[in-house]
Amino acid sequence: MGKNYFRAFNENIGVNESGHLQVEDVDATQLAEKFGTPVYVISENQIYANVKRWHAAFTSRYPRSEILFATKANNNLAVRRVFTLAGAGGDAFGPGELYLTLLAGTDPDRVVLNGFNKQDQEIRMAIEAGAAIHLDAPDELEDVIRVANDTGIRARIGLRTRLLLHDLDHLESDWPPGIKIGRGVREINKFGIALDDLETVCERVLQNPVTELVGLHHHVGRWAPDLKIHEAVVKDQMEVAVRLKDRFGWIPEYFDFGGGFAWGRSEGHGPLGADRGSPTAEEFAETMTSLFREALHTHDLGEPRLMIEPGRALASDIGILLTKVGIRKWFSDVHQTWIGLDASENHLLNILSSGFYYHPVVTDRVDEQPTETVNLGDPLCWFGNLALNVQLPRVERGDIIAFLDTGAYCESKSLQFNAMPRPATVMVSGSRTEIITERETLQDVTRRFRLPARLMPEPTPPINAMSKLNSP
Ligand SMILES: Cc1ncc(COP(=O)(O)O)c(C=O)c1O
């Protein structure tokens, strides 16, 4: 495997002695030539490396820990399959993700269904597979009971809590910028069962013969790269567990603390490029498991399973996006150079939705000294700024630029705005390269549209016939 990087971005992506970006054993510029651009590239072995690191960080501190990959971060089937082969369970949101997660062979005992306003299709699929359903609202229970009765199978249920997290009242988020996190989780968050309703719901689940109460869940989301966020979640959730134990004698079979683990690199990543030195897997694990173990011990809660559902922390650095340089222009009044690329915000949607920065490098001159400051523009008819004021060596038409760390929330959020076909995805494993998502065609872009017969255009003569008609 290509471990002899001159400079490594991670275990499987780095810069070789010639200054070229390499994914495992394959030169990134050659990948762009072979598969065309824009193209997402995934390193299979980085998936294994990331799952192994998070698994070791948690199980070495609390052996009954399990890593569930948040399938939303990258729902490509081959990617999901490798996560499963690497030992990750799955957090699925909605029927599509549940279907993909199960299709990839993930052990249903380590699959959880999250969702807001779940529909019968996904509830039924979860019950039939034996995956746990995380209730998000009191009246969702009626739907689960109805579907469970219909299938004749007992539903495994977890309660998703709406924690108040007052310990975060003075901590500021970096996205959305400047909001106090405690207020943010209470005021701009639709998820979870209100604490006022929790005991009633718990009692109803415990009493119903077609439901089995197995877990407690909370997902806080990514607000800032700060351990205090996850500390507050564990602390508040353990208080909830103690309340339920005192009232009903119920002890969860598992605690699922969700995802939201910020991930960064020193060159910058994430909202406003702020994720430069995020906590490591070991630091997250130490903070969470020490509090968790202490609470279990103090309140006699046994030794339940501990689950986490990282998305970005497991998948960001498994992939890059390769894009080709086209036009260049200079605006003398504002002293700006604009470079046109063939990738767009359609393919890196977090730039638009959460001010994301993905670090760009020129694939065959990664470590060359920057000589100019440029704006990287995309071919879309909206602001379409992939990155502003970035320092790069001079690039010319045909050069390949790689955006690093595009493994999470890029392919899974990609759009067709401006009727643009979406890119292919290639998986690299050692020196092997395989297409795992086909590049879309113009036919794909129009495939779902229907033109009612009454709106059909009149048949027009072929163009060469028209030019004959028009000629004198
Ligand atoms: C329930 C749940 N779990 C896990 C995740 C993954 O979050 P992240 O990618 O920030 O780790 C999400 C993201 O929205 C989520 O909603």
Side-chain angles (χ1 to χ4, degrees):
M1 238 173 291
K3 303 286 184 214
N4 302 320
Y5 302 130
F6 183 67
R7 185 161 74 87
F9 287 117
N10 58 23
E11 291 92 328
N12 294 283
I13 301 178
V15 189
N16 64 24
E17 294 104 14
S18 322
H20 287 213
L21 184 69
Q22 204 172 296
V23 180
E24 304 210 9
D25 293 344
V26 186
D27 184 291
T29 314
Q30 284 169 15
L31 277 169
E33 268 163 31
K34 182 168 175 191
F35 295 100
T37 54
V39 63
Y40 295 112
V41 180
I42 296 288
S43 157
E44 177 175 347
N45 283 297
Q46 196 55 37
I47 299 177
Y48 286 103
N50 290 352
V51 175
K52 194 171 159 194
R53 182 169 354 96
W54 279 79
H55 186 257
F58 274 79
T59 53
S60 61
R61 293 169 171 88
Y62 186 77
R64 296 203 73 203
S65 301
E66 294 167 27
I67 309 299
L68 277 55
F69 174 55
T71 303
K72 73 205 75 184
N74 194 319
N75 58 20
N76 178 291
L77 184 58
V79 169
R80 180 57 258 191
R81 174 71 184 144
V82 176
F83 269 107
T84 300
L85 289 172
D91 148 50
F93 197 101
E97 284 184 11
L98 183 58
Y99 180 70
L100 277 161
T101 305
L102 296 171
L103 194 62
T106 318
D107 176 3
D109 185 47
R110 280 186 290 129
V111 173
V112 296
L113 175 69
N114 285 302
F116 180 87
N117 192 23
K118 298 181 196 68
Q119 306 295 307
D120 283 7
Q121 186 192 27
E122 60 205 283
I123 294 173
R124 176 179 292 273
M125 211 189 297
I127 292 176
E128 287 179 347
I133 300 169
H134 288 168
L135 282 190
D136 192 65
D139 52 4
E140 209 170 59
L141 181 56
E142 299 315 316
D143 296 325
V144 174
I145 291 172
R146 182 174 38 76
V147 179
N149 273 319
D150 198 42
T151 56
I153 305 170
R154 219 165 163 217
R156 297 175 67 237
I157 306 253
L159 303 177
R160 180 168 183 165
T161 59
R162 179 179 179 276
L163 302 176
L164 302 180
L165 302 178
H166 283 295
D167 285 358
L168 305 179
D169 282 356
H170 302 289
L171 194 66
E172 225 167 67
S173 69
D174 53 31
W175 195 272
I179 289 194
K180 299 286 188 233
I181 299 174
R183 205 178 141 210
V185 297
R186 294 189 295 275
E187 293 184 16
I188 46 173
N189 172 25
K190 65 186 175 194
F191 296 107
I193 300 174
L195 293 181
D196 299 340
D197 291 325
L198 204 60
E199 291 184 23
T200 318
V201 177
C202 181
E203 188 169 24
R204 282 165 56 210
V205 178
L206 286 170
Q207 284 175 352
N208 199 300
V210 295
T211 53
E212 182 188 5
L213 189 58
V214 287
L216 267 189
H217 171 260
H218 185 83
H219 167 74
V220 63
R222 183 229 167 276
W223 294 86
D226 198 319
L227 292 167
K228 286 194 205 74
I229 299 168
H230 299 273
E231 204 174 284
V233 169
V234 176
K235 186 172 149 257
D236 281 21
Q237 190 74 315
M238 298 317 281
E239 282 171 16
V240 168
V242 172
R243 251 176 62 194
L244 298 179
K245 181 186 170 220
D246 289 349
R247 171 91 194 266
F248 303 109
W250 175 70
I251 295 179
E253 199 180 282
Y254 69 79
F255 283 80
D256 178 345
F257 292 110
F261 303 96
W263 182 89
R265 72 163 56 257
S266 55
E267 294 86 350
H269 179 78
L272 309 173
D275 287 348
R276 287 178 179 269
S278 303
T280 61
E282 286 70 23
E283 288 166 331
F284 280 120
E286 184 54 37
T287 303
M288 294 173 71
T289 57
S290 54
L291 269 177
F292 184 62
R293 275 190 273 114
E294 192 186 311
L296 292 179
H297 180 71
T298 312
H299 302 286
D300 213 5
L301 289 164
E303 205 183 316
R305 297 155 76 186
L306 183 164
M307 297 173 176
I308 53 163
E309 306 169 348
R312 70 195 69 224
L314 283 176
S316 293
D317 72 341
I318 66 169
I320 61 174
L321 174 65
L322 297 175
T323 171
K324 191 180 282 181
V325 173
I327 59 157
R328 150 189 286 272
K329 55 184 171 176
W330 165 246
F331 294 152
S332 59
D333 57 327
V334 283
H335 299 276
Q336 287 178 346
T337 300
W338 284 86
I339 305 288
L341 300 180
D342 58 5
S344 75
E345 286 186 27
N346 274 353
H347 317 135
L348 299 174
L349 197 75
N350 277 350
I351 295 177
L352 187 75
S353 63
S354 8
F356 249 61
Y357 174 77
Y358 295 94
H359 186 65
V361 299
V362 183
T363 54
D364 60 3
R365 287 173 286 146
V366 181
D367 283 335
E368 199 173 295
Q369 278 302 311
T371 51
E372 56 180 359
T373 303
V374 296
N375 293 338
L376 300 176
D378 74 3
L380 295 187
C381 187
W382 64 29
F383 282 100
N385 304 321
L386 290 165
L388 293 179
N389 297 317
V390 293
Q391 306 246 296
L392 286 180
R394 188 182 164 93
V395 288
E396 302 294 349
R397 183 178 284 274
D399 278 338
I400 302 296
I401 289 181
F403 287 97
L404 301 183
D405 312 317
T406 61
Y409 302 108
C410 293
E411 181 174 357
S412 62
K413 282 189 175 180
S414 62
L415 302 179
Q416 292 174 328
F417 177 61
N418 279 153
M420 295 279 188
R422 286 173 291 189
T425 305
V426 171
M427 185 177 269
V428 179
S429 181
S431 57
R432 178 183 294 176
T433 56
E434 290 155 307
I435 292 176
I436 56 171
T437 305
E438 299 285 349
R439 183 177 299 286
E440 279 183 336
T441 62
L442 292 179
Q443 284 73 30
D444 291 323
V445 171
T446 54
R447 190 181 306 281
R448 290 166 53 241
F449 298 141
R450 292 282 178 272
L451 200 53
R454 66 186 180 78
L455 295 178
M456 292 279 184
E458 291 294 319
T460 46
I463 290 173
N464 51 5
M466 278 176 74
S467 57
K468 266 197 199 131
L469 283 178
N470 292 337
S471 57

